[in-house]
Amino acid sequence: MIIREDFRSVETWLLRLESYAAAFEQNNVSDWSHLKNKEDFDRVYSLPASQRSKFEAIYMTGRDLAVAMSSRLTEFNWIQKFPSLKSFVDSFSHGWVNQIDLLEAEAATAEAEAAQLSNCPWSVSQMIKLYRAQISLLGHVAQCLEALRKSDLYIAESGLMQSSPKAMKYDAVLQCIHSVGKMFERLPATYLNKDEETLRDHMLVSLEAAVGGSVTGETFNKRGKTDILVRNEGNTCFVGECKFWAGSAGFQSTIDQLLSYLSWRDTNTALIFFVKNKEFTSIISKADEAARTHRLCIKKLGSSDETWSSFEFSHPDDPQRIIKVAVMLYHLP
């Protein structure tokens, strides 16, 4: 697809949306129709209405989603309908992308009903898998739209002025990480069993669109490889470490690891923890306690969210040098 000239600065993201549209189109034309009409779906009509309705809903909603997204995701080239990038991105504000939680609930209901059947129709089990795959795809669409909202073009069309890179960098990075972390929590099935590197890479993709400068992962800085490194004009603006929660002792060793990566000029950092434990509230308290009692912690600055707090630490090689450390936790049970 040829992207219209005025959208060339965000071409990468729009081409990705176009590829997602093609996947939805394939589902609509081939998969949903085949499973409904060429397999054993007619067996559901012998089931009680209460059970049958759950499977019919999977088909109807799943195919409606495929039909809608196969066309909507490529309409950015239609200048009569969307004269600006902002008008296109904002058009998704009240549609399928914001109904992922409802789609997850519908899928879970159908799965529970299917589990009750002694001999579930093969087409039903495949429809549920296809439905789940489309939810995952919709999550990636949401990520693309979020990246477009952070683009210079969208911001300019919104009439907003960006702060200078050095002034806005740290806060912008943290806000972007927090948005992606909350997306992980909203879409648990999409990110189920993903490893640390995969979750980090999702954050890197969003950060590349949200902030200027160089955004890299697994990059050498001073004494080791840090998970997230943001540089601008030759200066390190941000250093971040991503870990799965492994207890308070592991938390403090991660702080030591992060601080060991910092040169004297590196002062803006974050520890991002993915928490599998069910009792998430207690983990938040333990993390706060572990940060405050670390030997290099100076003070807690405050909290921007229930799971995001900021601290001041002294540099291990220079007690007078202050390091800002954001501690951010996200629940992935």
Side-chain angles (χ1 to χ4, degrees), residues 95-329:
W96 289 103
V97 175
N98 288 323
Q99 298 179 27
I100 292 178
D101 290 346
L102 297 177
L103 296 173
E104 290 274 11
E106 191 165 63
T109 298
E111 286 170 339
E113 289 292 344
Q116 298 297 317
L117 300 178
S118 58
N119 185 18
C120 178
W122 181 84
S123 58
V124 168
S125 64
Q126 294 306 301
M127 281 186 182
I128 294 173
K129 289 181 180 179
L130 182 58
Y131 193 95
R132 284 285 189 192
Q134 291 194 162
I135 294 175
S136 177
L137 200 57
L138 201 58
H140 292 296
V141 170
Q143 191 174 15
C144 276
L145 293 172
E146 184 63 22
L148 289 169
R149 288 188 187 94
K150 296 179 185 299
S151 68
D152 289 342
L153 179 58
Y154 182 95
I155 291 170
E157 290 175 349
S158 301
L160 302 175
M161 294 292 290
Q162 290 228 44
S163 305
S164 65
K166 289 183 181 178
M168 59 79 73
K169 188 71 65 179
Y170 185 44
D171 183 62
V173 170
L174 295 180
Q175 289 289 350
C176 181
I177 289 173
H178 191 52
S179 295
V180 176
K182 290 191 294 183
M183 182 177 70
F184 291 163
E185 294 178 335
R186 289 197 304 271
L187 306 173
T190 302
Y191 299 99
L192 182 67
N193 296 325
K194 295 292 188 291
D195 59 19
E196 178 187 305
E197 182 178 353
T198 302
L199 296 173
R200 180 209 63 201
D201 287 348
H202 278 287
M203 289 185 168
L204 290 176
V205 169
S206 294
L207 281 170
E208 286 175 346
V211 301
S214 169
V215 180
T216 57
E218 285 294 311
T219 306
F220 275 105
N221 197 60
K222 194 181 179 183
R223 296 192 182 102
K225 286 185 177 181
T226 185
D227 286 328
I228 301 175
L229 187 69
V230 179
R231 286 195 174 113
N232 186 56
E233 298 178 355
N235 298 313
T236 298
C237 304
F238 175 83
V239 179
E241 277 297 302
C242 301
K243 297 287 184 183
F244 279 98
W245 175 262
S248 298
F251 179 95
Q252 295 215 350
S253 66
T254 301
I255 295 178
D256 292 333
Q257 179 184 353
L258 173 68
L259 295 177
S260 73
Y261 293 157
L262 306 180
S263 72
W264 185 84
R265 298 183 187 278
D266 304 336
T267 58
N268 296 324
T269 72
L271 295 169
I272 303 117
F273 284 93
F274 310 122
V275 181
K276 292 184 176 182
N277 307 57
K278 290 184 178 180
E279 296 182 358
F280 189 40
T281 301
S282 67
I283 302 303
I284 296 171
S285 297
K286 290 177 181 178
D288 185 79
E289 175 69 14
R292 287 189 291 106
T293 58
H294 190 276
R295 71 187 189 284
L296 295 176
C297 182
I298 300 171
K299 64 180 178 180
K300 180 177 180 179
L301 297 174
S303 298
S304 301
D305 183 88
E306 290 179 296
T307 67
W308 167 12
S309 297
S310 297
F311 299 83
E312 284 186 352
F313 282 70
S314 57
H315 195 288
D317 298 332
D318 185 350
Q320 297 183 63
R321 188 64 168 169
I322 296 175
I323 309 297
K324 293 179 181 177
V325 180
V327 177
M328 314 173 84
L329 297 95

